[in-house]
Amino acid sequence: MADAYSKDELDRRMKGAVATLKSEFGGLRTGRASAALLDPVMVEAYGNTVPVNQVGSIATPEARMITVQVWDKGLAKAVDKAIRDAGLGLNPQMDGQLLRIPLPELNQERRKELSKLAAKYAEAARVSVRNVRRDGMDLLKRLEKDKKIGEDEHHTKGDELQKLTDANIKDIDAMLHAKEQEIMQV
């Protein structure tokens, strides 16, 4: 890290944690088909592990159906296995290079599991935001110790950093609450 304190840089890093959480929440199933549901699925292809959207086209032709049109016939089985092993509770049906993935109705038990997973994602985002705050506070301490800033400036910037942290944590909590409401709707 540079020896210059930048509130904008710390804010950008905190917002990155919130953006990551938003994309993770996009992959959580809420009863309707979404191509984002397959975002966490990684496929063994050509000696590498790649996201499923790099080996096929993902579509949602119906409200409760996702299709994956695999471009390389040899990878169809690998994509099928990756989707089954992803822990999403999905069972693809192969039809040549086309995988049809019906979304089963969410039962109450599965909804509770998805809520717990959402809470786990949110906690990881909170930890990331707090780590950014810690990095900023450590930098402020080092700058004060090296006599590059005064004690008053250290406290002022520390308070600003805490307000920034609180705002981002509040955003994360609001996103989690909204996602839990969406998941638990019957």
Side-chain angles (χ1 to χ4, degrees):
M1 190 186 295
D3 262 3
Y5 175 84
S6 169
K7 180 181 169 188
D8 291 340
E9 173 63 18
L10 295 170
D11 186 37
R12 184 192 63 75
R13 289 175 55 199
M14 287 183 186
K15 294 276 189 263
V18 173
T20 299
L21 176 65
K22 188 174 183 177
S23 72
E24 287 173 338
F25 277 178
L28 280 181
R29 207 168 105 215
T30 57
R32 294 200 57 214
S34 165
L37 182 60
L38 298 180
D39 284 352
V41 178
M42 302 299 278
V43 180
E44 284 292 324
Y46 313 114
N48 289 323
T49 305
V50 296
V52 70
N53 62 4
Q54 291 185 9
V55 295
S57 301
I58 302 171
T60 53
E62 300 171 26
R64 304 190 56 72
M65 172 82 67
I66 299 174
T67 59
V68 179
Q69 179 66 49
V70 182
W71 299 317
D72 184 347
K73 189 176 184 177
L75 291 178
K77 280 191 170 37
V79 172
D80 177 72
K81 181 178 178 350
I83 293 170
R84 288 179 192 277
D85 295 346
L88 298 171
L90 301 176
N91 293 308
Q93 300 158 352
M94 282 183 58
D95 183 10
Q97 288 175 243
L98 179 69
L99 280 83
R100 287 187 180 83
I101 309 162
L103 295 181
E105 191 68 40
L106 287 176
N107 61 21
Q108 202 59 24
E109 183 180 322
R110 183 67 178 143
R111 289 177 193 276
K112 287 178 183 173
E113 287 175 19
L114 289 173
S115 284
K116 286 180 185 175
L117 187 58
K120 187 174 125 187
Y121 288 161
E123 184 55 32
R126 284 188 207 102
V127 168
S128 294
V129 168
R130 289 183 195 123
N131 286 341
V132 173
R133 178 190 61 194
R134 185 197 63 223
D135 291 347
M137 294 302 239
D138 289 349
L139 178 60
L140 288 173
K141 284 179 191 171
R142 196 168 61 240
L143 289 173
E144 183 184 359
K145 183 180 171 203
D146 294 345
K147 308 253 187 268
K148 292 182 181 174
I149 64 171
E151 189 176 333
D152 288 344
E153 189 177 0
H154 176 185
H155 286 293
T156 303
K157 289 186 184 228
D159 290 345
E160 285 177 358
L161 184 55
Q162 185 60 49
K163 286 178 185 165
L164 198 61
T165 302
D166 293 343
N168 281 287
I169 296 286
K170 186 177 176 186
D171 289 347
I172 289 168
D173 291 342
M175 288 170 60
L176 174 61
H177 180 73
K179 190 63 176 184
E180 284 176 336
Q181 295 297 321
E182 186 181 341
I183 290 170
M184 296 310 281
Q185 281 181 352
V186 178

